[in-house]
Amino acid sequence: MSAPLTLEKNNLKLGFVALLDCAPLVVAREKGFFKKHGLNVVLCKESSWASIRDKVSFGLYDGAHMLAPMPLASTLGLNGNKTPMLTALALSQNGTAITLSLEFYTLLSKSIADWKDTSSVGAEFKKQVKNSKVKPVIATVYPYSNHHYLLRYWLEQQGINAETDVQLIAAPPTHMIPSLSNGAIDGYCVGEPWNSLALIQQIGGLLTTGHEIWGAHMEKVLGVTQEWANAHPNSHKALVNALYEACQWAEDSANKEELFQLLALPPYLDQAATQLANYTPPLAMEQHFAGKHVNVPDPKQGEFLLGQMLDCGQLSDTDNPADFATISRTVYRQDLFQKWVS
């Protein structure tokens, strides 16, 4: 039996945003996985991804629950301070959807018999957008997010120009439902529970899901700066292993009831989780926390995301796609995951 690691740092602060896929962090703290690995972790809730980015970048947090593209964007210095980051663990897969206002959804429903028929849904959506006198306003959570890229990708597939046919804005996840309810936006692309809650509260309808658009894709990751990882290799390894065990616990259907009880605690999702506990959305989100390939930070997915950044103008035309593989391997540390997670 190998000797326990000597941790460079035991007391950690991790940031998170109130989404269903913060579950591994909540589970690791509440079920004792952090303590099992010698860590004392404080979880700090933030309302926006920009705040998460900045507080990790400036060392106020040791790491955070992050959108999968965020470590890439930070490393490249896009939309903020250039801070090299990495991830050695994917926390979740899928769990994103596009939700429309009830008015917009009802209008589409007049011509859509089957919402699982993606071609007819797309054709009718395009028709309504093109005929609209005012550009529909659709929110995503952050410019450097799967949500932003998924939405633009889907619009392009339907022949809709994201620059001229609709107005895309950014809004924190917790602002989505109030903005939809008061008519400030016509739809949004966000992670759970904010899609299902719109349906439960009968203020919106589900257009399609991220899984339907892209198939299985990495959604959230554990993000740390490369400087922090280099200074705290043993603490980093302990953190990855604690969260990996928490991911497995959260994925086990036998733990579903307790998982939602934990998420419903006031420091986390509070009443939002309570409403979701026994609800199944009409279109499958296919959200997972563990399983084959779920937790591996796959550099190929990183290359794909860099391609999305290029396609929507976030990277310069002078950026060489041939470099994407090197950038992605530096940020998406599959090697550390394979080395550390047994």
Side-chain angles (χ1 to χ4, degrees), residues 22-313:
C22 75
L25 282 77
V26 173
V27 168
R29 187 181 189 282
E30 299 296 332
K31 296 298 293 181
F33 293 112
F34 285 140
K35 287 189 176 181
K36 174 184 172 182
H37 288 272
L39 299 170
N40 179 37
V41 175
V42 174
L43 299 181
C44 304
K45 183 160 64 175
E46 296 290 340
S47 62
S48 74
W49 292 111
S51 182
I52 290 282
R53 174 201 65 203
D54 291 345
K55 289 185 178 181
V56 173
S57 178
F58 292 110
L60 299 177
Y61 293 157
D62 297 281
H65 163 238
M66 284 189 180
L67 298 156
M70 282 181 68
L72 289 167
S74 181
T75 298
L76 294 170
L78 305 178
N79 192 232
N81 187 50
K82 184 174 183 178
T83 306
M85 292 189 184
L86 63 83
T87 177
L89 179 71
L91 296 171
S92 68
Q93 183 184 83
N94 306 330
T96 296
I98 303 173
T99 294
L100 301 177
S101 68
L102 195 58
E103 180 182 4
F104 201 168
Y105 183 82
T106 301
L107 182 64
L108 292 176
S109 295
K110 294 176 181 178
S111 303
I112 296 174
D114 180 7
W115 281 88
K116 294 181 181 179
D117 182 352
T118 55
S119 60
S120 65
V121 169
E124 186 59 27
F125 186 87
K126 177 183 178 180
K127 176 183 172 183
Q128 295 300 334
V129 168
K130 296 290 187 181
N131 291 340
S132 177
K133 294 179 181 179
V134 180
K135 293 181 185 180
V137 179
I138 308 176
T140 61
V141 300
Y142 188 66
Y144 303 93
S145 65
N146 282 345
H147 315 74
H148 184 77
Y149 305 134
L150 276 165
L151 178 60
R152 292 182 66 109
Y153 184 95
W154 188 84
L155 291 171
E156 182 180 340
Q157 293 294 307
Q158 315 317 315
I160 298 168
N161 190 312
E163 305 295 339
T164 59
D165 295 333
V166 297
Q167 181 183 353
L168 302 186
I169 66 169
T174 52
H175 291 193
M176 295 298 190
I177 284 184
S179 297
L180 196 69
S181 182
N182 66 23
I185 60 176
D186 300 291
Y188 55 67
C189 185
V190 72
E192 285 289 79
W194 307 110
N195 299 290
S196 291
L197 288 177
L199 275 63
I200 292 169
Q201 297 173 20
Q202 299 184 328
I203 62 168
L206 209 59
L207 176 67
T208 189
T209 69
H211 180 261
E212 185 66 38
I213 298 169
W214 275 356
H217 60 276
M218 185 165 31
E219 175 52 33
K220 298 298 189 304
V221 299
L222 167 67
V224 301
T225 67
Q226 292 186 22
E227 181 181 12
W228 187 92
N230 290 336
H232 308 91
N234 290 344
S235 296
H236 189 197
K237 178 180 179 180
L239 182 58
V240 166
N241 276 279
L243 285 169
Y244 179 67
E245 291 178 23
C247 286
Q248 293 176 305
W249 188 96
E251 181 68 16
D252 189 339
S253 59
N255 298 325
K256 181 180 178 180
E257 182 178 351
E258 186 179 359
L259 173 62
F260 279 96
Q261 290 173 353
L262 295 177
L263 290 170
L265 294 171
Y268 309 125
L269 271 65
D270 205 355
Q271 295 304 309
T274 303
Q275 296 178 57
L276 203 65
N278 297 307
Y279 178 74
T280 302
L283 298 176
M285 301 285 183
E286 296 294 341
Q287 187 169 43
H288 296 288
F289 299 108
K292 190 175 182 181
H293 306 308
V294 170
N295 302 112
V296 182
D298 185 359
K300 289 295 183 184
Q301 292 200 39
E303 291 180 55
F304 174 77
L305 290 173
L306 289 167
Q308 297 302 302
M309 293 177 186
L310 184 64
D311 289 347
C312 68

